Amino acid sequence: MKDWFYAFFMAWGMFLAIPCPFPRWRESARGRMLMCLPLIGLVEGGLWALLVWLLAKLCLPEALGALCAAAFPWLVTGFLHLDGYMDVCDAVLSRRDLATRQKILKDSHCGAFAVIAMVLLALTQWIVCQSVSLNEIPLLPLAALPCAVRAAAALAVSHLRPLSTSQYAAQPKPPAGHTAALVLMLAAACVLPPLFCGMSGFAPLIGAAGYGLAVWYAFRQLDGMSGDISGFALTLGELAGLAFLFLTRYYV
């Protein structure tokens, strides 16, 4: 049980920019960190929903409130996943041969394709958050969205063949019980919100599906899985779920 406690806070320290309340490392808990990723998503989602509620109460200018809501998931993770998004965009959009794409993926320099893709992503997420008043957004699907996407991420990272240069290359396959628990967390995050919020409640499911499609595309383009690819897919998955959540309120 202590290993799970350590694993949660180790994952917190790695995947969140919020100061960790228990900054301790325990090597025996390393293999459980991915299992805690959906719980980290729940922390992010709860804070995201709280922020949107506060922004709605403060009655800020619409553009400013939308900017805060759009930027929050990037700020709270310390731009960790955006780094992977930009690296993958640089590699894939270069349209070079596989070896060169893989080399670009690991290059620390920021290319033109990464900058263009980041500008388009930021504009899209901001415009989505401006499409509907924040007062109209149901908070439960928003809170569950990062949890669902990260449950899908944990499954993908732990089961897809990694790139030889990935930090996950030496990682053993997780026990069947861990996989079953991740599937249950994914199912709970996708099934519970629609029961209470109707059509808008399917946003976590759309986010997880968006993650899956983005991983499928990047995996085929780069011939393997890595942390950068997961960050790329996670960023697009959250955008897909967010767009569904806001646009269903616009049309319904």
Side-chain angles (χ1 to χ4, degrees):
M1 183 59 71
K2 282 187 177 180
D3 275 353
W4 288 108
F5 179 80
Y6 275 86
F8 173 76
F9 286 107
M10 286 161 60
W12 182 311
M14 181 172 289
F15 296 111
L16 290 178
I18 305 169
C20 181
F22 188 74
R24 300 288 187 276
W25 184 270
R26 192 173 191 175
E27 190 60 30
S28 61
R30 180 197 291 268
R32 293 174 166 83
M33 286 175 63
L34 275 179
M35 279 290 298
C36 296
L37 195 55
L39 302 179
I40 298 303
L42 200 57
V43 172
E44 179 197 325
L47 293 173
W48 201 1
L50 177 61
L51 174 71
V52 168
W53 180 81
L54 287 173
L55 291 171
K57 295 298 181 183
L58 290 173
C59 300
L60 295 175
E62 188 176 282
L64 179 58
L67 177 62
C68 293
F72 178 80
W74 304 336
L75 293 169
V76 79
T77 54
F79 306 102
L80 175 67
H81 306 300
L82 284 183
D83 178 66
Y85 168 81
M86 295 177 74
D87 286 344
V88 171
C89 287
D90 242 354
V92 171
L93 294 177
S94 71
R95 296 178 176 85
R96 307 289 291 277
D97 60 272
L98 176 60
T100 305
R101 292 198 300 269
Q102 291 179 342
K103 184 177 179 180
I104 293 172
L105 181 68
K106 301 306 295 182
D107 192 340
S108 60
H109 295 88
C110 182
F113 293 124
V115 174
I116 294 167
M118 185 62 233
V119 170
L120 291 175
L121 174 73
L123 285 173
T124 302
Q125 191 138 316
W126 180 48
I127 290 169
V128 162
C129 290
Q130 272 194 283
S131 61
V132 178
S133 169
L134 297 179
N135 283 301
E136 300 180 31
I137 300 304
L139 300 181
L140 179 58
L142 184 62
L145 173 59
C147 177
V149 173
R150 281 161 178 76
L155 287 167
V157 167
S158 58
H159 287 84
L160 291 178
R161 173 174 51 80
L163 286 167
S164 59
T165 55
S166 170
Q167 67 268 40
Y168 301 114
Q171 179 177 282
K173 292 292 183 182
H178 288 193
T179 300
L182 286 171
V183 170
L184 285 175
M185 285 189 276
L186 175 60
C190 293
V191 170
L192 292 178
L195 298 178
F196 297 96
C197 302
M199 180 64 70
S200 298
F202 286 102
L205 177 60
I206 298 299
Y211 177 92
L213 287 172
V215 159
W216 172 81
Y217 174 74
F219 186 92
R220 284 172 57 89
Q221 290 293 317
L222 296 164
D223 195 34
M225 186 64 182
S226 71
D228 283 337
I229 290 174
S230 185
F232 165 80
L234 193 149
T235 299
L236 292 178
E238 283 191 341
L239 175 59
L242 193 67
F244 183 86
L245 177 60
F246 274 76
L247 295 179
T248 51
R249 304 308 298 175
Y250 179 82
Y251 286 109
V252 172

